[in-house]
Amino acid sequence: MGNDEQSKAEADFPAELPDTITLTFEDGSEAECFVWGFVEVEDKLYISLLPMDEEEDEEGGCYLYQYDEDENGEPILGYIEDDALLDRVVEAFDRLFEEEESEYDELVAQEELE
């Protein structure tokens, strides 16, 4: 991917989103979540949210939503109802996690050498 393409792709990701988002579910319960990251699949953005409450995160899971913004720049989260699309989104986040984990391992290895 050329630098122009990479810059364009990065520019599409929200820049001013807070580090956490509070989700409110249909039953009225809430979950405070850390914004883990974004991926683009089929020209749409998806967000991964990690629950901050240990009880919410017992299974080690996260919440995945389609991400958009309204005319005021406020986040709009949508369900991913297509199972095949959800699988592609999960795969994209897995690749992102592996890349970040690899970068972290390299940084730790470099610090140990110093």
Side-chain angles (χ1 to χ4, degrees), residues 6-94:
Q6 186 175 12
S7 297
K8 179 183 176 291
E10 290 174 358
D12 292 339
F13 290 92
E16 299 298 321
L17 198 63
D19 292 334
T20 63
I21 289 179
T22 301
L23 295 176
T24 304
F25 301 102
E26 291 176 0
D27 67 359
S29 63
E30 294 183 342
E32 184 77 14
C33 297
F34 173 73
V35 177
W36 185 76
F38 292 88
V39 295
E40 185 173 316
V41 176
E42 299 175 7
D43 297 323
K44 293 186 180 179
L45 281 179
Y46 296 89
I47 188 171
S48 176
L49 303 172
L50 299 173
M52 296 175 73
D53 183 355
E54 289 181 21
E55 288 180 24
E56 294 283 335
D57 192 27
E58 282 180 10
E59 297 177 16
C62 64
Y63 300 108
L64 301 177
Y65 292 98
Q66 182 177 332
Y67 180 88
D68 205 349
E69 292 180 351
D70 66 15
E71 61 276 354
N72 298 320
E74 294 295 317
I76 300 172
L77 304 181
Y79 293 112
I80 305 170
E81 296 181 10
D82 180 298
D83 288 340
L85 175 59
L86 179 59
D87 289 342
R88 291 189 295 279
V89 171
V90 168
E91 289 172 11
F93 274 112
D94 284 346

